[in-house]
Amino acid sequence: MADELSMPLCQRLSYSVGHFLNDLCASMWFTYLLVYYHSVLGFMNTYAGILLLAGQVADGICTPLVGYESDRTAGCGTYGKRKTWHLVGTISVLLSFPFIFNPCLGCSEDTPQWVGLTYFVPFIVIFQFGWAATQISHLSLIPELVTNDHEKVELTAFRYAFTVIANITVYAVAWLLFHFQAGPAEDPSVIDSLSHQDIPIFRNLALIVVGIGAVFSLLFHFGTKEKGHSPVEAASDDREKQPLILRALPAQPHSLLQWKHWLKEPAFYQVAMLYMCTRLIVNLSQTYISMYLTNSLMLPKNYIATIPLVMYVCGFVSSLVMKPVNKLIGRNITYFIGLLLILAFAYWVLLDMNMGKSVYGAAVLLGAGSATILVMSLSMTADLIGGQTQSGAFVYGAMSFTDKVANGLGVMIIQSLHPCHTQACCPDCIWFYHHIMVIVTGGVAFVASIVLCTIMIWPIKIRSHLPYISGLMGTDTEDTGNDQSVN
């Protein structure tokens, strides 16, 4: 059965690059947004946090709504509903992202900061809508393109491998831009610290990002063929298009799971909590690593490109060995190994206040651990969906909603606790970012380990509607052997 379902390599690659633009933009968003608005444009810490929070809230709201609409709409003609939403999202990202990393048009040094805040928020909202549409439609294609469990892990690993390549691309280009930056050699402090003179670097980086991402988005749309839906799924889609009041009536026998059924599944909340913890570790560590390097370790500004680069190179290597390791020891143990690497990083940071260049070794642990837990959490989400692809976008949307809101609130809380409220940082910043890195990695990893224990005790499985589904699948289960999916 696995041989029949296997995708050709070229199709796997074309699918895998479909999220490349999103990954490029997300890398800049999480790594450089706070640094850019606080250290380069001179925004107050709370204002920079508000901008990131606005983006996360917009993404969190758009994600489940896009997932719901993606499940119930038919798409543009024969193009496919997932690819249609992907195209809409891509265009939105391309049109809005360059404005986020450019100064406010028409503003001067005397312009109040709240004016700049008002200027940037609409672009951020459009960008986050596009990002959500692209992400959910791309993730929803995984259980539709392949149904074998190991192939889902492989496709997710391919996808994450290109995520890592996207991050490596951003940091490599950033390093080159910093390296060749024109500056007075007699004033090394200007070269080593971020300031208003670095605006062209971030502007050029944003333009390069959207240019490269547009090319890979074209490769995805030309190379990926979205499968048509079976008659059972088509009938399910027709039911989804009915008004919400009518669909609130008791479900007819032998229906596939719709969005409201997932809310009664305990496994849905288990996976959502684990995915949220995973994203908190990955995104918050990525957001504050630049602040930690420049303010706590007092390293030159080029380290905000080289250290993330090392992290994602290690992540790329980890993604290559993910499939055989997962096949050998299983998803849960593989995820636990990733957590151990994260905890080792947090312990190292906690003990070594002045690690200097040894931060490269710590970056290896964080990069490998982050890649491992992210791929495994996405694979667990695909396991939860199984053959219920007709509502897969809602599930991915709900998972993403938890992580976006949690990340936004986490950043806002951290920014509100910041000891400095101006552009210049005080000595208190040294211990502040030091403790933040320990908490957002080690602290959240501890919570994730507790959630993982619940999954090991009560495995991911649809329980509330299991008889409801097995009645539908009937002979299909016998025909497909161990493969429980209906496509």
Side-chain angles (χ1 to χ4, degrees):
M1 184 66 182
D3 293 337
E4 296 177 7
L5 294 172
S6 180
M7 293 175 63
L9 179 61
C10 60
Q11 291 186 21
R12 279 179 284 175
L13 291 175
S14 66
Y15 167 80
S16 301
V17 301
H19 206 252
F20 203 73
L21 172 62
N22 263 21
D23 292 328
L24 291 168
C25 295
S27 179
M28 280 199 69
W29 172 266
F30 284 110
T31 308
Y32 296 133
L33 187 83
L34 292 183
V35 171
Y36 176 72
Y37 281 99
H38 177 60
S39 299
V40 178
L41 294 187
F43 276 50
M44 292 189 299
N45 278 295
T46 52
Y47 279 14
I50 288 173
L51 287 173
L52 195 144
L53 176 63
Q56 295 303 101
V57 170
D59 195 358
I61 294 173
C62 291
T63 298
L65 293 178
V66 169
Y68 172 74
E69 289 297 327
S70 177
D71 283 334
R72 69 189 292 269
T73 55
C76 184
T78 59
Y79 198 60
K81 59 183 181 181
R82 309 302 187 194
K83 288 181 67 178
T84 298
W85 277 98
H86 189 284
L87 183 61
V88 171
T90 299
I91 294 173
S92 299
V93 170
L94 291 175
L95 294 178
S96 59
F97 189 73
F99 290 95
I100 297 175
F101 284 92
N102 268 291
C104 170
L105 296 177
C107 297
S108 64
E109 295 182 359
D110 299 327
T111 303
Q113 290 193 2
W114 66 265
V115 175
L117 198 69
T118 307
Y119 171 85
F120 286 114
V121 166
F123 292 112
I124 288 175
V125 171
I126 295 172
F127 162 67
Q128 293 293 357
F129 161 77
W131 203 97
T134 305
Q135 180 202 35
I136 295 306
S137 57
H138 193 253
L139 283 173
S140 302
L141 279 171
I142 293 179
E144 295 190 11
L145 295 175
V146 292
T147 55
N148 180 276
D149 285 344
H150 293 300
E151 287 186 323
K152 290 178 184 177
V153 173
E154 183 180 34
L155 205 57
T156 304
F158 265 84
R159 180 182 184 275
Y160 186 75
F162 279 97
T163 298
V164 174
I165 293 173
N167 282 273
I168 291 173
T169 301
V170 170
Y171 300 132
V173 173
W175 178 82
L176 289 174
L177 292 174
F178 279 121
H179 182 71
F180 293 108
Q181 181 186 32
E186 66 274 5
D187 189 2
S189 64
V190 174
I191 298 177
D192 288 341
S193 60
L194 289 166
S195 64
H196 198 73
Q197 70 163 3
D198 295 308
I199 288 177
I201 288 181
F202 290 96
R203 180 188 63 229
N204 294 337
L205 183 59
L207 293 175
I208 292 171
V209 158
V210 297
I212 296 174
V215 173
F216 281 93
S217 295
L218 285 175
L219 293 176
F220 164 78
H221 280 276
F222 282 122
T224 303
K225 305 298 180 185
E226 184 175 344
K227 294 180 180 179
H229 296 282
S230 65
V232 175
E233 292 183 7
S236 175
D237 288 340
D238 291 339
R239 175 174 170 77
E240 277 292 295
K241 293 176 185 178
Q242 297 174 7
L244 285 173
I245 296 178
L246 292 179
R247 282 188 278 109
L249 297 175
Q252 298 299 317
H254 309 319
S255 305
L256 293 175
L257 291 185
Q258 303 305 327
W259 66 271
K260 57 182 176 291
H261 299 139
W262 288 108
L263 302 179
K264 301 177 182 178
E265 293 294 336
F268 176 81
Y269 297 99
Q270 286 178 292
V271 176
M273 188 65 182
L274 191 71
Y275 184 78
M276 183 189 73
C277 291
T278 301
R279 282 294 186 179
L280 279 173
I281 294 171
V282 175
N283 293 344
L284 290 183
S285 64
Q286 188 177 356
T287 298
Y288 285 99
I289 189 70
S290 297
M291 300 290 196
Y292 171 68
L293 295 171
T294 56
N295 294 313
S296 291
L297 299 183
M298 302 296 183
L299 295 171
K301 64 185 179 183
N302 64 296
Y303 272 74
I304 70 174
T306 57
I307 292 299
L309 181 60
V310 170
M311 289 170 51
Y312 280 95
V313 168
C314 296
F316 177 71
V317 175
S318 299
S319 68
L320 296 178
V321 300
M322 203 75 66
K323 183 182 178 181
V325 172
N326 171 76
K327 199 169 185 177
L328 182 65
I329 62 177
R331 287 169 179 64
N332 294 339
I333 303 302
T334 305
Y335 187 95
F336 181 68
I337 291 174
L339 284 181
L340 290 179
L341 295 175
I342 299 292
L343 290 169
F345 166 83
Y347 189 66
W348 191 343
V349 171
L350 179 64
L351 294 182
D352 195 349
M353 289 284 292
N354 302 296
M355 63 175 63
K357 291 187 177 180
S358 62
V359 70
Y360 283 105
V364 171
L365 295 176
L366 182 59
S370 297
T372 302
I373 63 175
L374 186 55
V375 170
M376 288 300 104
S377 64
L378 288 172
S379 298
M380 290 178 188
T381 306
D383 285 345
L384 175 67
I385 295 172
Q388 306 298 318
T389 59
Q390 76 290 335
S391 56
F394 171 78
V395 175
Y396 281 117
M399 301 296 153
S400 189
F401 174 79
T402 61
D403 103 74
K404 297 302 187 302
V405 174
N407 274 287
L409 292 177
V411 168
M412 198 62 224
I413 292 172
I414 293 172
Q415 292 299 104
S416 65
L417 296 174
H418 198 283
C420 304
H421 299 285
T422 60
Q423 182 177 7
C425 283
C426 65
D428 289 338
C429 292
I430 295 176
W431 65 261
F432 179 78
Y433 288 115
H434 174 84
H435 292 319
I436 289 301
M437 285 305 298
V438 174
I439 294 171
V440 301
T441 54
V444 181
F446 178 75
V447 176
S449 65
I450 296 176
V451 180
L452 181 64
C453 288
T454 68
I455 293 178
M456 297 179 74
I457 297 172
W458 299 287
I460 299 172
K461 182 180 179 181
I462 298 176
R463 295 179 175 85
S464 302
H465 295 80
L466 192 59
Y468 190 66
I469 297 170
S470 59
L472 163 71
M473 299 179 71
T475 56
D476 291 334
T477 304
E478 298 176 1
D479 293 339
T480 57
N482 295 328
D483 188 359
Q484 298 287 318
S485 301
V486 179
N487 271 325

